[in-house]
Amino acid sequence: MSTTVERNVPIADTGHNQHPQRKWQDYFGFSTDHKVIGIQYLTTAFIFYLIGGALAEVMRTELATPDPDFVQPEFYNQLMTMHGSIMLFLWIIPAGAGFANYLIPLMIGAEDMAFPRLNGVAFWMIPPGGIFFLSSFFLDTGAAQAGWTSYPPLSLVASKWGEEIWILSVLLLGTSSILGAINFVTTILLMRMPDMDIHSMPLFCWAMLATSALIILGTPVLAAALILLSFDLIAGTAFFNPAGGGDPIVYQHMFWFYSHPAVYIMILPFFGAISEIIPVHARKPIFGYRAIAYSSLAISFLGLIVWAHHMFSSGTPGWLRMFFMATTMIIAVPTGIKVFSWCATIWGGKVSLNSAMLFAFGFLSSFLIGGLSGIMLASVPFDIHVHDTYFIVAHFHYVLFGGAVFGLFAAVYHWFPKMTGRMVNETWGRIHFIMTFIGFNITFLPMHPLGLQGMNRRVALYDPQFQTLNIICTIGSYVLALSTFPFLINIIWSWLKGKQAPRNPWRALTLEWQTASPPIIENFEEQPVLWAGPYDYGIDTETIDGNETVEDMLATVSAEGR
Amino acid sequence: MQSSTVNNQSQIAIASEHEAAGHHGHPDLRMIGVYIFLIADSMTFLGFFAALLIYRATMPVWPPEGTPELELLIPIINTSILVASSFVMHRGQTALKNNDVKGLQVWFAITAAMGALFLGGQAYEYFHAEFGLTTNLFASCFYVLTGFHGLHVMTGVLLILSVLWRSRQPNHYSSNSHFGVEAAEIYWHFVDVIWLVLFVLVYLIN
């Protein structure tokens, strides 16, 4: 199938090339262009972020008082289930895939993904998946109520059809994710430009390689679990139903075999993005390229063998808990390697505190807290103490909001000029960062003491002694919600009216900056040239101006005797 | 002047690396995609097998008491049909490598028929089984696992039929253009191997 684009549209970019550009209508149809698909992913994901966030605000409003007086407990359960599911399956994972789609072919000098049509198919599974999710709110029985984990036997008795729709949506979104991953792996391994070996490939590509491996190995196991759960729900089998002789723990094993790696599926792409952003805005070569690259693979591998740390209180035998405790703690090593490498890259660099870098700092500090509480939770006695309390809620929000979402915003600010051809307004970007950072910490920091004191998660009703801290959380969540507006307005305004972006506003060295902003339909006017490694920042790169072409860069480099 | 030196150097580097990596022409990306897909698919089966093995390991009695004996005759015949069909199919691909499209069609048609025979055997087994889907945990595992595999066999037969349909066009497949043939064959071998594991786990170790 060919794309429906007319190839004669004049370019709105600076002077010398007259290559065709996308029209806005192209973004609303079936396309095989990875750049269109990438932006479709990102905007769709952002819409679901707004929906998932709105659900969270209703929950936080309910939690401002100890009694369930704002919404009914059943509805609260549905909100909680849908908030989690939407944020994971429809926001973070598709947003990571969106950046990967947009950036990978550009970063490796390819014209498109390996399987462009498959790529389009993978994206177009997401909107129906999301609409199914949301439509289940209108069922008589309401949406799924058993949390995003859908543990049986609860998931077998609460909201049968809501649960079934939830399963079908997750299967659809999982399939999309697998098809995307097949495409990423093939593209990264086999479509690199001839002189780019795997060790001169940008770190974002390494991160997506690790992520895709997890998707390919983990997601099908979740599908198997959900197919069995579906049989239990609809056909009356008893795989996971103790009443019929089944074993709910089997579900937990299968579920977490995917869902623990899933947290790395959510965070690894943004580890990759941060590895791109920090060296550019600190003007320094990345510290420990290979260490960062291999640590992504190590995280993937370890991620697959630690799942039962979610089940320390599920009657897992002691010796098995020791194994999962040890492997879980070991994950701190590759993760620590990354964090130290990023810090070492910033150390002594010429850091420009623009919005992208601010979010990268926000990412580093918040993710550090989330990572440290993760090590605490890896230890069995502590985990049993705080199991199913708000300490867990605090932990995974520090990792997934403070980590993935901050990384995501950093990536948006960093690649916005490339994607749209416009510069983003920095002042509003900084306001967005400050509001997000403050709102985020006010919302989730108090959840640590709440959890340590024993406040249960997943319920609308709580002991009145926890109310003060809950009110603080709720106020923080409103600030967090408001912080979306400066972002939204800034993005829309900058996209329409922002300053024209040069092809390389950050003077970065990865290949995506060698083409026009936004890139032409064929990605590059001519085969891009690897004139330096992706992170070879040094004296000779400081003279590069944002509008230089590859030839100019080469001339600069060779004139300086490189 | 100097800039062109850099260019030349990088082109030399490109050429030498090409040779080193052995990139003579592009590998067929579509086949790589099929292989990665099969890795993912085998993980789904692994999930089912893991569930079955955990049940076996944790249940006091397996299969649960009162489960009727499984008849082994039909599944053994089915197993031999499926294993033999992989060899038959491979002859089809060998024929194509010699540009013998007729041979491809004959061997693939036989493979499709064998696949259909397998499905028929499975249907016979289902109709004559002395337990239903919800009789007990073993019965549920039996139906879901063999059923999920049967779905794969059916997909395989459809793939083979689509290859046969396309092979009617002259020059659609040849010794150097055979992605569809190769993909169908790899998929079929995969389904075959999965069946062997399934046969051992479901039928034999009880």
Side-chain angles (χ1 to χ4, degrees):
Chain A
M1 173 184 240
S2 64
T3 52
T4 53
V5 179
E6 291 175 30
R7 304 223 151 202
N8 299 322
V9 189
I11 185 172
D13 196 25
T14 50
H16 84 281
N17 56 42
Q18 287 297 315
H19 287 282
Q21 281 289 344
R22 292 283 171 207
K23 292 177 296 181
W24 65 270
Q25 298 96 317
D26 296 338
Y27 292 90
F28 290 86
F30 186 85
S31 174
T32 53
D33 181 349
H34 71 98
K35 301 183 289 299
V36 174
I37 295 171
I39 288 181
Q40 286 176 327
Y41 264 106
L42 286 170
T43 43
T44 310
F46 188 74
I47 291 168
F48 283 110
Y49 173 58
L50 296 180
I51 296 171
L55 300 182
E57 293 308 324
V58 180
M59 284 159 70
R60 271 319 323 167
T61 308
E62 160 55 43
L63 291 170
T65 56
D67 296 317
D69 39 18
F70 184 62
V71 290
Q72 291 303 305
E74 289 77 21
F75 188 58
Y76 180 90
N77 293 346
Q78 297 173 24
L79 289 172
M80 185 260 307
T81 304
M82 282 300 156
H83 165 70
S85 311
I86 287 175
M87 289 306 198
L88 305 182
F89 294 122
L90 289 160
W91 161 233
I92 294 294
I93 295 179
F99 279 111
N101 266 304
Y102 197 96
L103 294 171
I104 287 175
L106 290 171
M107 281 180 162
I108 63 174
E111 264 189 19
D112 206 327
M113 299 288 283
F115 311 114
R117 272 186 293 172
L118 188 70
N119 208 15
V121 171
F123 167 72
W124 282 105
M125 288 178 165
I126 290 187
I131 291 165
F132 278 164
F133 256 160
L134 294 173
S135 67
S136 63
F137 272 116
F138 301 102
L139 292 171
D140 286 347
T141 54
Q145 292 184 34
W148 88 284
T149 54
S150 275
Y151 276 179
L154 176 62
S155 54
L156 299 174
V157 292
S159 182
K160 179 176 174 183
W161 292 107
E163 192 63 39
E164 187 57 32
I165 288 182
W166 184 89
I167 292 174
L168 291 176
S169 309
V170 175
L171 287 175
L172 194 63
L173 296 168
T175 309
S176 153
S177 180
I178 293 171
L179 297 181
I182 292 174
N183 224 334
F184 296 145
V185 172
T186 316
T187 309
I188 294 170
L189 290 181
L190 296 159
M191 305 257 303
R192 291 192 314 277
M193 55 181 285
D195 49 350
M196 181 186 276
D197 72 13
I198 200 151
H199 288 113
S200 53
M201 178 170 89
L203 287 165
F204 180 75
C205 299
W206 277 98
M208 281 317 297
L209 200 58
T211 309
S212 306
L214 284 177
I215 293 173
I216 288 161
L217 297 175
T219 315
V221 179
L222 176 72
L226 293 183
I227 289 169
L228 296 182
L229 186 65
S230 203
F231 270 101
D232 279 5
L233 262 172
I234 303 297
T237 56
F239 291 107
F240 306 133
N241 191 350
D247 185 357
I249 301 293
V250 176
Y251 176 85
Q252 294 191 17
H253 279 295
M254 294 172 81
F255 177 82
W256 286 114
F257 184 80
Y258 161 76
S259 295
H260 184 75
V263 309
Y264 301 109
I265 294 173
M266 293 168 219
I267 194 82
L268 275 169
F270 302 105
F271 281 174
I274 290 293
S275 307
E276 300 298 324
I277 293 164
I278 285 181
V280 175
H281 298 286
R283 309 308 302 160
K284 271 187 67 190
I286 190 102
F287 181 90
Y289 171 92
R290 289 196 183 202
I292 295 185
Y294 297 155
S295 65
S296 293
L297 300 183
I299 289 174
S300 276
F301 171 71
L302 290 169
L304 285 167
I305 57 167
V306 298
W307 73 90
H309 69 218
H310 294 266
M311 301 162 61
F312 283 158
S313 60
S314 304
T316 314
W319 61 272
L320 204 58
R321 293 200 294 207
M322 292 308 285
F323 170 79
F324 284 106
M325 172 166 127
T327 47
T328 305
M329 286 188 174
I330 290 173
I331 291 195
V333 176
T335 317
I337 288 175
K338 282 182 189 295
V339 173
F340 281 115
S341 296
W342 292 323
C343 292
T345 308
I346 297 167
W347 187 276
K350 282 190 270 178
V351 177
S352 48
L353 280 181
N354 52 27
S355 314
M357 199 61 175
L358 284 174
F359 270 102
F361 279 120
F363 165 94
L364 275 177
S365 54
S366 317
F367 180 76
L368 186 66
I369 297 176
L372 290 176
S373 61
I375 302 175
M376 293 162 77
L377 288 169
S379 106
V380 176
F382 184 79
D383 179 82
I384 289 173
H385 177 63
V386 296
H387 187 78
D388 269 349
T389 68
Y390 263 77
F391 192 87
I392 310 285
V393 182
H395 161 68
F396 66 69
H397 279 93
Y398 266 87
V399 174
L400 289 179
F401 197 112
V405 179
F406 275 60
L408 194 155
F409 280 129
V412 169
Y413 284 109
H414 183 71
W415 280 291
F416 188 84
K418 182 48 66 186
M419 292 180 174
T420 62
R422 307 277 185 166
M423 298 304 287
V424 81
N425 181 305
E426 281 295 331
T427 312
W428 284 101
R430 288 185 183 127
I431 293 171
H432 172 218
F433 169 73
I434 292 166
M435 284 177 73
T436 312
F437 193 74
I438 292 175
F440 162 76
N441 280 297
I442 299 178
T443 310
F444 298 109
L445 201 61
M447 291 185 184
H448 291 107
L450 274 175
L452 290 172
Q453 290 161 23
M455 178 172 159
N456 269 8
R457 66 191 275 213
R458 296 195 180 109
V459 281
L461 173 98
Y462 61 87
D463 192 302
Q465 60 163 317
F466 301 128
Q467 192 178 11
T468 318
L469 284 174
N470 267 297
I471 288 176
I472 296 175
C473 292
T474 302
I475 292 170
S477 79
Y478 292 152
V479 177
L480 199 51
L482 287 177
S483 77
T484 315
F485 291 98
F487 174 72
L488 203 57
I489 294 165
N490 189 7
I491 289 299
I492 294 173
W493 186 87
S494 299
W495 203 329
L496 298 174
K497 304 264 178 202
K499 211 176 88 198
Q500 291 279 349
R503 61 172 58 212
N504 190 359
W506 316 123
R507 296 177 296 136
L509 300 179
T510 37
L511 292 184
E512 76 269 28
W513 303 101
Q514 285 192 14
T515 183
S517 302
I520 58 167
I521 290 173
E522 302 83 358
N523 282 358
F524 296 97
E525 292 100 348
E526 56 205 59
Q527 176 75 26
V529 179
L530 270 192
W531 61 283
Y535 309 105
D536 284 349
Y537 294 100
I539 310 148
D540 50 12
T541 64
E542 297 307 311
T543 54
I544 298 167
D545 136 351
N547 267 318
E548 268 177 319
T549 59
V550 181
E551 291 76 31
D552 301 335
M553 291 179 180
L554 282 167
T556 315
V557 173
S558 46
E560 288 174 14
R562 196 189 146 79
Chain B
M1 195 57 210
Q2 269 175 323
S3 124
S4 70
T5 321
V6 173
N7 256 333
N8 284 343
Q9 278 169 355
S10 74
Q11 265 149 21
I12 293 163
I14 295 169
S16 62
E17 200 187 350
H18 254 252
E19 312 249 310
H23 287 180
H24 292 296
H26 278 289
D28 191 339
L29 296 180
R30 293 173 300 176
M31 272 321 287
I32 309 282
V34 171
Y35 282 113
I36 303 177
F37 169 76
L38 291 182
I39 294 175
D41 205 8
S42 62
M43 289 305 292
T44 322
F45 279 104
L46 200 73
F48 287 133
F49 293 154
L52 182 72
L53 289 172
I54 304 177
Y55 290 135
R56 280 185 55 91
T58 54
M59 299 286 160
V61 191
W62 187 266
E65 276 191 58
T67 311
E69 276 287 306
L70 273 178
E71 280 292 337
L72 279 180
L73 180 64
I74 298 279
I76 286 176
I77 296 173
N78 257 352
T79 307
S80 27
I81 291 175
L82 208 57
V83 173
S85 72
S86 262
F87 290 98
V88 172
M89 196 177 194
H90 189 67
R91 295 208 61 169
Q93 205 216 24
T94 319
L96 183 68
K97 283 205 172 130
N98 301 322
N99 271 325
D100 174 11
V101 177
K102 197 83 215 153
L104 167 81
Q105 288 170 334
V106 170
W107 293 116
F108 268 46
I110 299 175
T111 316
M114 291 170 98
L117 209 59
F118 177 92
L119 289 172
Q122 208 163 39
Y124 180 88
E125 206 185 350
Y126 282 9
F127 280 120
H128 290 81
E130 288 163 31
F131 47 76
L133 176 64
T134 56
T135 304
N136 62 28
L137 203 53
F138 174 78
S140 307
C141 285
F142 170 80
Y143 281 108
V144 171
L145 265 67
T146 55
F148 193 66
H149 180 268
L151 214 59
H152 277 71
V153 176
M154 205 187 296
T155 313
V157 171
L158 290 176
L159 280 176
I160 295 171
L161 291 179
S162 86
V163 167
L164 286 175
W165 181 260
R166 289 179 173 203
S167 69
R168 288 157 67 251
Q169 292 173 34
N171 301 325
H172 189 86
Y173 294 117
S174 69
S175 59
N176 46 26
S177 161
H178 46 76
F179 164 69
V181 174
E182 213 179 330
E185 190 186 346
I186 291 297
Y187 182 81
W188 193 257
H189 293 331
F190 166 79
V191 169
D192 197 351
V193 170
I194 292 285
W195 173 259
L196 290 177
V197 180
L198 199 153
F199 182 68
V200 172
L201 289 182
V202 174
Y203 289 91
L204 295 188
I205 316 178
N206 276 317

